[in-house]
Amino acid sequence: MPTTPTFAIVGAGLAGAKAAEALRAEGFDGRLVMLGEEAERPYDRPPLSKTYLRGEADRDSLYLHDACFYAAHNIELYTSARVRSIDPPGRRLQLASGERISYRRLLLATGAAPRRLRRPGADLDGIYHLRNRRDADRLVAALGRAARVVVVGTGWIGCEVAASVRQLGRDVTLVGPEAVPLARVLGPEIGCFYRNLHAEQGVRLALGTDVDAFRGDGRVEAVVTSDGRTLPCDLVLIGIGAIPRTELAEAAGIAGGDGVLVDEWLETIAPGVYAAGDVAAAWHPLLRTRLRVAHWANALHQGPVAARAMLGLPTRYEQLPSFFSDQYDVSMEYSGLATASDRVVVRGDPATRQFVAFWVRHQHVVAGMNVNVRDVAEPIQALIRSGRNVDLARLVDPDTPIKELADDDR
Ligand SMILES: Cc1cc2nc3c(=O)[nH]c(=O)nc-3n(C[C@H](O)[C@H](O)[C@H](O)COP(=O)(O)OP(=O)(O)OC[C@H]3O[C@@H](n4cnc5c(N)ncnc54)[C@H](O)[C@@H]3O)c2cc1C
């Protein structure tokens, strides 16, 4: 019998790596095992649709830690190691290789997988998804032979890939059912900003339409849209969202409809089992709702919070949802959680590509997005957290510091 407990982390991505780092930083000196099905140590995914795709960042720059970090911190990192099942009552897991590992605490940090589009021809060669570095490498290689690219999906991955591929000089068509890109998250007004941005960069937009079929003889040659267009192409990238990797949790009876259900300390209903990152649907104590936030900052911050819970030092996960996106020369950060019924007001002129949008509900700010405006994400978050009523004239006035609105007692 081991004298020190074993903590196991399934999923060697951002949330898993940050949890492992935090466990050691908090003084955990037991056995720490991290199991990842990918062939390499944890790396950052955001560059895959941006600098890495465009050849501006190399592979080494993606890694979250130096190669020696894991050994130096006595973290047993197993790559190409897929976990096949977990047994929460027995506190054991089994690898695809058949090996079993007993644990005292288990963190599920299995991330998400690209949603597939089931349409005739969807299995033709030349149709790609983007989730991991191997996908990115395949896409980069295929782009070398492609002149005309169709991107299906106007969410973050679709828009970022469309921007990068356009920056590489390819002919790009962006296809999606919404009237403007990113409409589901940003609404029609701010979605218009992104539609105009892509149009100005020469991206062809086939919006308000779906894909009916992919055509080609072995390899994709065209995308047929539901409004009757045929878009000739050499390559298709599908970016229509990602599905949480809940298969292990589901088989163990601890997953809900959209993710592994965890409380505000990131523990599941199975004692000793935790979840963090894209896979976790966590109760948010401030927003009083369950949220699965599939973005970088969430995985970054949830990993350490899960680590503390595993150590019996629970802290509530209270970060506001937030994410960033870079498209062409436009960098944005979004904080908070808006709904379609919230009112949007804008500080600055979107035509200058430098502005802050606020989503307002009953006179208080529920979300904010700064575009090419630096160092305001924290004040925006403070303003949202404050829950204060705001004067809309001051909110949109560029001369009123956002921090002042959060501190305002009036
Ligand atoms: C191309 C791309 C661009 C992005 N850009 C942005 C951006 O600009 N801004 C932003 O906010 N967010 C962005 N994101 C989202 C962000 O990268 C994710 O939210 C983050 O990576 C989630 O981290 P995670 O650790 O939860 O999951 P992941 O990073 O997906 O890691 C999970 C790991 O678990 C492994 N795994 C799954 N099941 C098993 C199993 N059974 N056994 C062993 N291993 C398993 C997976 O293979 C994977 O390696 C982007 C994502 C992608 C794909």
Side-chain angles (χ1 to χ4, degrees):
M1 287 285 286
T3 50
T4 54
T6 297
F7 283 10
I9 298 174
V10 183
L14 179 60
K18 286 290 158 186
E21 185 186 309
L23 283 169
R24 287 302 186 221
E26 295 279 356
F28 175 62
D29 62 0
R31 183 175 182 218
L32 181 49
V33 182
M34 183 156 52
L35 305 151
E37 71 182 357
E38 291 187 64
E40 57 193 322
R41 68 185 194 270
Y43 59 88
D44 242 348
R45 293 178 203 274
L48 300 181
S49 52
K50 310 176 189 70
T51 47
Y52 188 75
L53 188 57
R54 299 195 298 269
E56 296 162 17
D58 64 12
R59 176 180 174 155
D60 278 352
S61 68
L62 303 188
Y63 291 120
L64 296 172
H65 296 109
D66 291 342
C68 56
F69 172 86
Y70 300 94
H73 290 82
N74 205 10
I75 298 167
E76 294 174 40
L77 170 63
Y78 295 93
T79 54
S80 305
R82 189 173 66 79
V83 173
R84 179 194 292 157
S85 63
I86 59 171
D87 167 14
R91 301 212 178 206
R92 275 184 316 184
L93 61 81
Q94 188 173 24
L95 295 171
S97 63
E99 189 186 338
R100 289 175 205 276
I101 296 175
S102 295
Y103 59 79
R104 177 84 56 88
R105 303 265 187 271
L106 171 70
L107 175 62
L108 294 172
T110 46
R115 190 184 296 279
R116 307 277 152 167
L117 189 60
R118 292 182 211 292
R119 293 288 186 278
D123 55 354
L124 287 168
D125 283 348
I127 300 180
Y128 295 84
H129 296 83
L130 179 57
R131 179 70 198 181
N132 56 39
R133 205 185 51 77
R134 263 181 61 194
D135 295 338
D137 287 344
R138 286 193 192 123
L139 187 55
V140 168
L143 279 168
R145 305 182 294 269
R148 297 163 307 174
V149 176
V150 171
V151 176
V152 178
T154 55
W156 297 108
I157 300 283
C159 283
E160 290 186 352
V161 170
S164 288
V165 173
R166 187 69 200 124
Q167 284 172 285
L168 290 171
R170 306 298 188 277
D171 181 298
V172 179
T173 306
L174 186 55
V175 182
E178 296 172 313
V180 293
L182 303 164
R184 201 176 48 81
V185 184
L186 302 180
E189 296 94 338
I190 305 301
C192 264
F193 167 78
Y194 279 100
R195 181 196 59 197
N196 296 344
L197 175 68
H198 284 282
E200 282 162 22
Q201 299 291 331
V203 171
R204 288 176 227 272
L205 297 163
L207 299 174
T209 188
D210 209 337
V211 171
D212 262 3
F214 300 97
R215 293 268 160 77
D217 184 11
R219 163 166 290 277
V220 71
E221 288 164 18
V223 174
V224 181
T225 62
S226 47
D227 62 0
R229 280 181 263 189
T230 298
L231 308 171
C233 61
D234 312 306
L235 185 160
V236 173
L237 183 281
I238 298 182
I240 56 166
I243 299 171
R245 299 272 312 259
T246 54
E247 56 269 23
L248 295 174
E250 252 169 53
I254 54 172
D258 180 42
V260 180
L261 306 183
V262 287
D263 58 22
E264 58 259 62
W265 298 280
L266 307 184
E267 186 167 11
T268 68
I269 51 165
V273 182
Y274 305 78
D278 279 13
V279 79
W283 178 254
H284 199 289
L286 300 183
L287 300 171
R288 306 213 52 76
T289 186
R290 192 175 287 286
L291 286 179
R292 192 176 70 79
V293 181
H295 294 295
W296 185 86
N298 183 68
L300 181 82
H301 296 303
Q302 278 194 345
V305 169
R308 289 185 59 82
M310 293 166 85
L311 290 167
L313 307 165
T315 44
R316 300 198 310 175
Y317 183 74
E318 298 181 328
Q319 293 275 335
L320 286 176
S322 70
F323 56 87
F324 63 93
S325 177
D326 298 326
Q327 297 170 44
Y328 312 103
D329 58 351
V330 173
S331 295
M332 66 75 89
E333 296 168 284
Y334 177 106
S335 306
L337 187 67
T339 63
S341 56
D342 297 322
R343 178 175 171 197
V344 186
V345 296
V346 177
R347 169 187 285 231
D349 179 3
T352 64
R353 294 190 185 168
Q354 210 175 14
F355 64 98
V356 183
F358 296 99
W359 283 260
V360 180
R361 187 183 306 159
H362 308 308
Q363 285 247 271
H364 60 265
V365 174
V366 293
M369 170 179 141
N370 46 305
V371 175
N372 285 344
V373 179
R374 295 170 67 90
D375 301 328
V376 292
E378 276 188 29
I380 289 173
Q381 293 189 7
L383 180 57
I384 297 168
R385 282 176 183 284
S386 77
R388 286 176 199 279
N389 283 352
V390 286
D391 175 337
L392 290 190
R394 298 182 76 221
L395 187 62
V396 299
D397 172 15
D399 293 330
T400 303
I402 297 170
K403 186 176 178 319
E404 210 171 272
L405 296 166
D407 296 341
D408 216 338
D409 272 334
R410 277 171 296 178

